[in-house]
Amino acid sequence: MKPILIIVPGWGGTRVTWQAFITRASSEFDVHCVEMPCFGNEPCPTTVWGIEEYAEFLRTKIQVIKKSSNQKAYLLAHSFGGQISVKLLSQDSTLVDGLILSGPAIYRRRWTIKNLLFLPLAKLGTILFSLPGLRGGAGAARKILYKLAASPDYNETGGVKRDIFKKITKQDVSDCLPHLQLPVVLIAGARDRYVRSSDTARAAKAIPNARFTLTETGRHGLLHTHPDLLLTEIQSLTTTP
């Protein structure tokens, strides 16, 4: 029987967005894609979840998937999915036999020059576009600001989903890294605009049994542009003694 591969998409990712990779990987693995609440067929929770709640949701899904098989299982987690997986597996590394992290969102709350410039502009815009005669331009101005801040995900959310996004993007899970007691491969694209490759390399150094791979031509969505690289790295874990 084939080993199990469990995919944990990033923010906004679904079984549909991963379908091309799932099809490719299915020749080697029994592939399962776990959609997170708020995406795909999973409705948003009624309360504002953080990484802890998402981690427990993922734990249950992994247990259900593994219940009907004695095969080894590997977790492929991207971006926000990596943040969730690091939290979960730092608490119980026995859930799977190996972890592959692609552009994982581990380090949060970074105060960059862009952040320091953006936040005052956002606050000023809120005040300015609340004035009579200018309210109609608030939506367009907000989209421009968040595009400049490289945060399109925020602009595409609303209600509890937006509150969840605001919460999880402030939750740093780097303190969990030393507690990952399983083989881990971290993969980064040098051109990733969302998660710096230097952060992924830094995370690899903090994990006891980890290996770091950098692709100079890669961006954030390696599942689309470098599927063969992902598969090669996953296969390398399956042959690890």
Side-chain angles (χ1 to χ4, degrees):
M1 293 179 66
K2 300 175 184 177
I4 298 168
L5 177 63
I6 302 170
I7 296 172
V8 188
W11 185 268
T14 66
R15 189 174 287 102
V16 172
T17 61
W18 277 84
Q19 189 56 58
F21 182 84
I22 291 170
T23 301
R24 185 176 296 223
S26 292
S27 61
E28 301 283 340
F29 298 92
D30 176 17
V31 185
H32 301 261
C33 182
V34 179
E35 294 179 325
M36 292 292 107
C38 284
F39 304 105
N41 292 319
E42 291 289 343
C44 279
T46 56
T47 58
V48 180
W49 279 18
I51 296 304
E52 297 82 4
E53 289 84 0
Y54 275 101
E56 287 306 310
F57 176 88
L58 178 59
R59 181 196 300 274
T60 301
K61 291 293 185 179
I62 292 173
Q63 290 172 336
V64 170
I65 291 169
K66 290 181 62 181
K67 188 175 181 179
S68 59
S69 175
N70 292 322
Q71 296 301 305
K72 288 190 174 182
Y74 301 88
L75 205 64
L76 169 59
H78 176 242
S79 195
F80 168 54
Q83 184 183 13
I84 297 168
S85 300
V86 165
K87 180 67 175 179
L88 173 61
L89 296 179
S90 69
Q91 298 168 343
D92 185 358
S93 294
T94 66
L95 280 170
V96 293
D97 298 281
L99 173 63
I100 305 92
L101 295 170
S102 175
I106 293 168
Y107 298 97
R108 298 290 196 176
R109 298 191 297 269
R110 177 188 286 114
W111 290 97
T112 63
I113 292 175
K114 181 182 285 186
N115 294 145
L116 293 172
L117 290 173
F118 170 71
L119 289 176
L121 281 174
K123 291 181 180 179
L124 178 60
T126 299
I127 296 171
L128 182 62
F129 286 102
S130 66
L131 298 175
L134 296 177
R135 291 173 184 167
R142 190 180 297 110
K143 288 182 180 179
I144 293 171
L145 280 171
Y146 279 100
K147 185 175 182 180
L148 291 172
S151 298
D153 289 331
Y154 178 89
N155 200 48
E156 294 171 2
T157 63
V160 70
K161 188 175 179 181
R162 175 168 291 187
D163 290 335
I164 290 172
F165 181 81
K166 289 163 65 176
K167 184 172 183 175
I168 62 101
T169 52
K170 294 176 182 177
Q171 292 187 281
D172 187 298
V173 295
S174 58
D175 60 336
C176 298
L177 297 174
H179 303 290
L180 292 172
Q181 301 298 318
L182 76 168
V184 183
V185 173
L186 298 95
I187 311 169
R191 300 180 182 179
D192 193 330
R193 291 175 55 246
Y194 295 94
V195 176
R196 293 183 179 183
S197 59
S198 58
D199 277 352
T200 305
R202 177 184 170 195
K205 293 179 180 178
I207 300 171
N209 186 14
R211 179 166 54 82
F212 174 66
T213 296
L214 176 70
T215 168
E216 294 293 340
T217 58
R219 299 182 185 274
H220 196 53
L222 296 180
L223 69 151
H224 301 299
T225 60
H226 294 69
D228 289 335
L229 172 62
L230 289 183
L231 275 174
T232 298
E233 295 297 344
I234 297 166
Q235 290 164 343
S236 73
L237 279 187
T238 67
T239 57
T240 300

